[in-house]
Amino acid sequence: MKTIYPKNKISLIIIAFFALLLMIPEQATAQRFGHFTPHAVMPRPMPMPRPEPRPIPPGPRPIPPRPLPPPPHPYPHPYPYPRPYPVPFHPYPVPFPYAYHPFVPYVWGPTWYPVGFFMATLTTAAIVISVENNQYNYDDGVYYVKESDGYKVVPAPLGATISELPKGYVTVNVSGTDYYYYGGAYYAKDTSKYKVVNAPVGAVVSHLPEGAEEKTIDGQKYMIYNNVYYQPISKDGQDSYVVVQGK
Protein backbone atom coordinates (compact mmCIF):
# COMPACT_ATOMS: atom_id res chain seq x y z
CA MET A 1 0.00 0.00 0.00
CA LYS A 2 1.30 3.36 -0.97
CA THR A 3 1.60 5.95 1.75
CA ILE A 4 0.51 9.51 0.87
CA TYR A 5 2.55 12.35 2.50
CA PRO A 6 1.35 15.85 2.51
CA LYS A 7 3.15 18.09 0.20
CA ASN A 8 3.35 21.17 2.48
CA LYS A 9 2.88 22.34 6.08
CA ILE A 10 -0.61 23.78 5.49
CA SER A 11 -1.97 20.35 4.82
CA LEU A 12 -0.39 19.11 8.05
CA ILE A 13 -2.06 21.88 10.04
CA ILE A 14 -5.49 21.13 8.58
CA ILE A 15 -5.12 17.45 9.34
CA ALA A 16 -4.03 18.22 12.92
CA PHE A 17 -7.01 20.58 13.46
CA PHE A 18 -9.57 17.95 12.44
CA ALA A 19 -7.81 15.37 14.58
CA LEU A 20 -8.09 17.77 17.55
CA LEU A 21 -11.79 18.23 16.97
CA LEU A 22 -12.29 14.50 17.13
CA MET A 23 -10.54 14.43 20.50
CA ILE A 24 -12.68 17.25 22.16
CA PRO A 25 -15.64 15.92 24.19
CA GLU A 26 -19.09 16.18 22.67
CA GLN A 27 -20.44 18.55 25.38
CA ALA A 28 -17.73 21.13 24.79
CA THR A 29 -18.34 20.91 21.05
CA ALA A 30 -22.04 21.49 21.52
CA GLN A 31 -21.40 24.54 23.68
CA ARG A 32 -18.97 25.89 21.12
CA PHE A 33 -21.45 25.68 18.26
CA GLY A 34 -24.54 26.77 20.21
CA HIS A 35 -26.07 23.35 21.02
CA PHE A 36 -26.82 22.94 24.75
CA THR A 37 -28.16 19.98 26.54
CA PRO A 38 -31.13 20.62 28.84
CA HIS A 39 -30.15 21.29 32.47
CA ALA A 40 -31.33 19.08 35.16
CA VAL A 41 -34.38 20.37 37.09
CA MET A 42 -33.24 21.86 40.38
CA PRO A 43 -35.22 20.79 43.44
CA ARG A 44 -37.58 23.44 44.91
CA PRO A 45 -36.32 24.94 48.15
CA MET A 46 -38.11 23.90 51.24
CA PRO A 47 -40.31 26.67 52.76
CA MET A 48 -38.86 28.30 55.82
CA PRO A 49 -40.97 28.03 58.95
CA ARG A 50 -42.79 31.27 59.85
CA PRO A 51 -41.98 32.83 63.18
CA GLU A 52 -44.68 32.49 65.76
CA PRO A 53 -46.60 35.75 66.47
CA ARG A 54 -45.64 37.60 69.62
CA PRO A 55 -48.23 37.20 72.32
CA ILE A 56 -50.31 40.35 73.03
CA PRO A 57 -50.53 41.06 76.74
CA PRO A 58 -54.07 41.41 78.08
CA GLY A 59 -55.42 44.82 79.09
CA PRO A 60 -55.00 48.27 77.55
CA ARG A 61 -51.87 49.12 75.65
CA PRO A 62 -49.40 51.19 77.65
CA ILE A 63 -49.07 54.81 76.53
CA PRO A 64 -45.48 55.91 76.11
CA PRO A 65 -44.54 58.90 78.25
CA ARG A 66 -44.46 62.30 76.58
CA PRO A 67 -41.07 63.86 76.04
CA LEU A 68 -40.09 66.49 78.55
CA PRO A 69 -40.07 70.12 77.35
CA PRO A 70 -36.69 71.59 76.59
CA PRO A 71 -35.06 73.52 79.43
CA PRO A 72 -35.45 77.30 79.37
CA HIS A 73 -32.94 79.26 77.39
CA PRO A 74 -30.38 81.02 79.58
CA TYR A 75 -31.17 84.27 77.77
CA PRO A 76 -34.97 84.50 77.40
CA HIS A 77 -36.47 86.46 74.53
CA PRO A 78 -37.73 89.90 75.57
CA TYR A 79 -41.10 89.05 73.94
CA PRO A 80 -42.17 85.60 75.23
CA TYR A 81 -44.07 83.21 72.97
CA PRO A 82 -46.98 82.92 72.72
CA ARG A 83 -47.11 86.67 72.81
CA PRO A 84 -50.07 88.29 74.56
CA TYR A 85 -52.85 89.51 72.31
CA PRO A 86 -53.76 93.20 72.32
CA VAL A 87 -56.65 94.40 74.40
CA PRO A 88 -59.91 93.80 72.47
CA PHE A 89 -61.35 96.97 70.99
CA HIS A 90 -64.99 97.66 71.86
CA PRO A 91 -65.90 101.12 70.58
CA TYR A 92 -68.44 103.14 72.46
CA PRO A 93 -71.71 103.41 70.49
CA VAL A 94 -71.95 107.11 69.73
CA PRO A 95 -75.06 108.90 68.44
CA PHE A 96 -72.97 110.91 65.98
CA PRO A 97 -72.18 109.81 62.40
CA TYR A 98 -68.68 108.67 61.59
CA ALA A 99 -66.97 111.33 59.49
CA TYR A 100 -63.29 110.97 58.70
CA HIS A 101 -61.30 114.18 58.37
CA PRO A 102 -57.54 114.72 58.21
CA PHE A 103 -55.88 115.25 61.57
CA VAL A 104 -54.51 118.73 62.24
CA PRO A 105 -52.62 119.20 65.54
CA TYR A 106 -53.90 122.01 67.71
CA VAL A 107 -51.85 124.47 69.79
CA TRP A 108 -53.35 125.97 72.96
CA GLY A 109 -51.42 129.21 72.91
CA PRO A 110 -47.78 130.31 73.13
CA THR A 111 -47.17 128.77 76.57
CA TRP A 112 -48.41 125.29 75.64
CA TYR A 113 -45.96 122.62 74.42
CA PRO A 114 -46.56 119.06 73.14
CA VAL A 115 -45.40 115.89 74.91
CA GLY A 116 -41.69 115.31 74.42
CA PHE A 117 -40.80 119.00 74.08
CA PHE A 118 -37.62 119.90 75.97
CA MET A 119 -36.87 123.15 77.77
CA ALA A 120 -33.65 124.22 79.44
CA THR A 121 -35.38 126.38 82.07
CA LEU A 122 -38.90 127.06 83.31
CA THR A 123 -40.64 130.31 84.09
CA THR A 124 -40.94 131.62 87.62
CA ALA A 125 -44.67 130.75 87.57
CA ALA A 126 -43.93 127.00 87.49
CA ILE A 127 -44.92 125.05 90.61
CA VAL A 128 -44.01 121.61 91.92
CA ILE A 129 -46.74 118.96 92.11
CA SER A 130 -46.31 115.60 93.84
CA VAL A 131 -48.25 112.58 92.55
CA GLU A 132 -47.62 109.18 94.19
CA ASN A 133 -44.13 110.18 95.33
CA ASN A 134 -43.25 111.51 91.86
CA GLN A 135 -42.32 115.14 91.39
CA TYR A 136 -43.67 117.15 88.44
CA ASN A 137 -43.34 120.77 87.44
CA TYR A 138 -46.53 122.45 86.29
CA ASP A 139 -46.85 125.67 84.34
CA ASP A 140 -50.06 126.89 82.69
CA GLY A 141 -51.54 123.50 81.74
CA VAL A 142 -48.23 121.81 80.86
CA TYR A 143 -46.47 119.18 83.01
CA TYR A 144 -42.70 118.68 83.08
CA VAL A 145 -40.26 116.20 84.60
CA LYS A 146 -36.75 117.17 85.63
CA GLU A 147 -33.88 115.77 83.62
CA SER A 148 -30.14 116.22 83.92
CA ASP A 149 -29.92 119.28 81.70
CA GLY A 150 -33.47 120.60 81.60
CA TYR A 151 -37.17 119.76 81.67
CA LYS A 152 -39.22 117.47 79.43
CA VAL A 153 -42.97 117.72 78.74
CA VAL A 154 -44.98 114.64 79.77
CA PRO A 155 -48.71 113.77 79.69
CA ALA A 156 -50.79 115.06 82.56
CA PRO A 157 -50.37 112.54 85.41
CA LEU A 158 -53.58 111.04 86.76
CA GLY A 159 -54.38 112.35 90.22
CA ALA A 160 -52.56 115.66 89.84
CA THR A 161 -54.53 118.55 91.33
CA ILE A 162 -54.33 122.22 90.44
CA SER A 163 -56.06 125.19 92.02
CA GLU A 164 -56.90 127.00 88.79
CA LEU A 165 -57.69 125.77 85.30
CA PRO A 166 -55.45 126.93 82.45
CA LYS A 167 -56.73 129.59 80.09
CA GLY A 168 -58.39 128.19 76.98
CA TYR A 169 -60.05 125.16 78.57
CA VAL A 170 -63.47 123.92 77.37
CA THR A 171 -66.27 122.32 79.38
CA VAL A 172 -67.41 118.87 78.25
CA ASN A 173 -70.58 117.38 79.68
CA VAL A 174 -70.85 113.58 79.77
CA SER A 175 -73.95 111.95 81.30
CA GLY A 176 -74.67 115.05 83.39
CA THR A 177 -71.10 115.45 84.70
CA ASP A 178 -68.92 118.39 83.69
CA TYR A 179 -65.32 117.79 82.68
CA TYR A 180 -62.76 120.38 81.71
CA TYR A 181 -60.58 119.69 78.69
CA TYR A 182 -57.27 121.32 77.88
CA GLY A 183 -54.23 120.14 75.94
CA GLY A 184 -55.40 116.49 75.76
CA ALA A 185 -56.02 116.31 79.54
CA TYR A 186 -59.35 116.04 81.36
CA TYR A 187 -60.05 117.61 84.75
CA ALA A 188 -62.90 117.06 87.20
CA LYS A 189 -64.00 119.29 90.06
CA ASP A 190 -62.55 118.13 93.40
CA THR A 191 -63.80 120.36 96.22
CA SER A 192 -62.02 123.66 95.59
CA LYS A 193 -59.44 122.21 93.15
CA TYR A 194 -59.36 120.38 89.83
CA LYS A 195 -58.05 116.86 89.46
CA VAL A 196 -56.67 115.09 86.38
CA VAL A 197 -58.92 112.11 85.53
CA ASN A 198 -59.21 109.49 82.82
CA ALA A 199 -60.80 110.52 79.54
CA PRO A 200 -64.57 109.94 79.96
CA VAL A 201 -66.02 107.70 77.26
CA GLY A 202 -68.50 109.72 75.22
CA ALA A 203 -66.73 113.06 75.63
CA VAL A 204 -66.73 115.12 72.41
CA VAL A 205 -63.84 117.51 71.73
CA SER A 206 -63.02 119.56 68.68
CA HIS A 207 -59.21 119.47 68.87
CA LEU A 208 -56.45 116.97 69.62
CA PRO A 209 -52.86 117.91 70.43
CA GLU A 210 -49.72 117.04 68.53
CA GLY A 211 -48.66 113.43 69.01
CA ALA A 212 -51.98 111.76 68.17
CA GLU A 213 -51.60 108.69 65.92
CA GLU A 214 -54.02 107.37 63.33
CA LYS A 215 -55.04 103.70 63.35
CA THR A 216 -57.49 101.74 61.17
CA ILE A 217 -59.79 99.24 62.91
CA ASP A 218 -62.51 97.34 61.02
CA GLY A 219 -62.25 99.74 58.09
CA GLN A 220 -62.61 102.88 60.22
CA LYS A 221 -59.89 105.29 61.23
CA TYR A 222 -59.36 106.25 64.86
CA MET A 223 -57.04 108.69 66.56
CA ILE A 224 -55.05 107.52 69.56
CA TYR A 225 -53.62 109.97 72.05
CA ASN A 226 -52.25 109.01 75.47
CA ASN A 227 -53.78 105.49 75.05
CA VAL A 228 -57.25 106.97 74.46
CA TYR A 229 -59.18 106.12 71.26
CA TYR A 230 -61.05 108.92 69.50
CA GLN A 231 -63.47 108.46 66.62
CA PRO A 232 -63.75 111.24 64.03
CA ILE A 233 -67.31 112.52 63.86
CA SER A 234 -69.29 115.49 62.62
CA LYS A 235 -71.25 117.35 65.30
CA ASP A 236 -73.34 120.37 64.37
CA GLY A 237 -71.46 120.56 61.07
CA GLN A 238 -68.07 120.77 62.81
CA ASP A 239 -65.28 118.21 62.66
CA SER A 240 -64.88 116.72 66.13
CA TYR A 241 -63.66 113.64 68.01
CA VAL A 242 -65.52 111.47 70.50
CA VAL A 243 -63.86 109.23 73.10
CA VAL A 244 -64.82 105.63 72.32
CA GLN A 245 -62.34 103.77 74.56
CA GLY A 246 -60.27 105.00 77.47
CA LYS A 247 -57.19 103.62 79.18
Side-chain angles (χ1 to χ4, degrees), residues 85-90 229 245:
Y85 290 97
V87 178
F89 182 76
H90 300 287
Y229 286 74
Q245 187 183 42

Side-chain angles (χ1 to χ4, degrees), residues 38-89:
H39 297 281
V41 179
M42 297 293 295
R44 297 183 63 183
M46 297 296 294
M48 298 293 294
R50 294 183 178 181
E52 297 182 0
R54 299 177 62 181
I56 300 177
R61 297 181 60 184
I63 301 176
R66 294 183 178 180
L68 297 177
H73 197 274
Y75 303 101
H77 197 277
Y79 302 101
Y81 187 87
R83 299 172 185 172
Y85 290 97
V87 178
F89 182 76

Side-chain angles (χ1 to χ4, degrees), residues 175-222:
S175 300
T177 303
D178 287 336
Y179 297 89
Y180 307 96
Y181 176 75
Y182 178 86
Y186 295 84
Y187 298 86
K189 187 73 174 178
D190 186 15
T191 62
S192 61
K193 296 185 177 182
Y194 301 91
K195 185 177 182 179
V196 178
V197 296
N198 285 317
V201 177
V204 178
V205 296
S206 56
H207 303 292
L208 292 179
E210 180 181 342
E213 299 179 358
E214 189 176 90
K215 185 176 182 180
T216 302
I217 302 176
D218 295 336
Q220 292 187 358
K221 294 184 181 297
Y222 295 85

Side-chain angles (χ1 to χ4, degrees), residues 130-173:
S130 179
V131 181
E132 297 182 355
N133 298 326
N134 295 322
Q135 299 292 330
Y136 298 89
N137 294 88
Y138 172 80
D139 186 11
D140 198 14
V142 183
Y143 295 83
Y144 304 84
V145 291
K146 183 71 171 66
E147 292 192 349
S148 59
D149 52 352
Y151 300 86
K152 184 179 180 180
V153 178
V154 295
L158 294 177
T161 57
I162 56 177
S163 57
E164 185 179 356
L165 291 172
K167 296 179 181 180
Y169 74 91
V170 294
T171 303
V172 181
N173 186 275

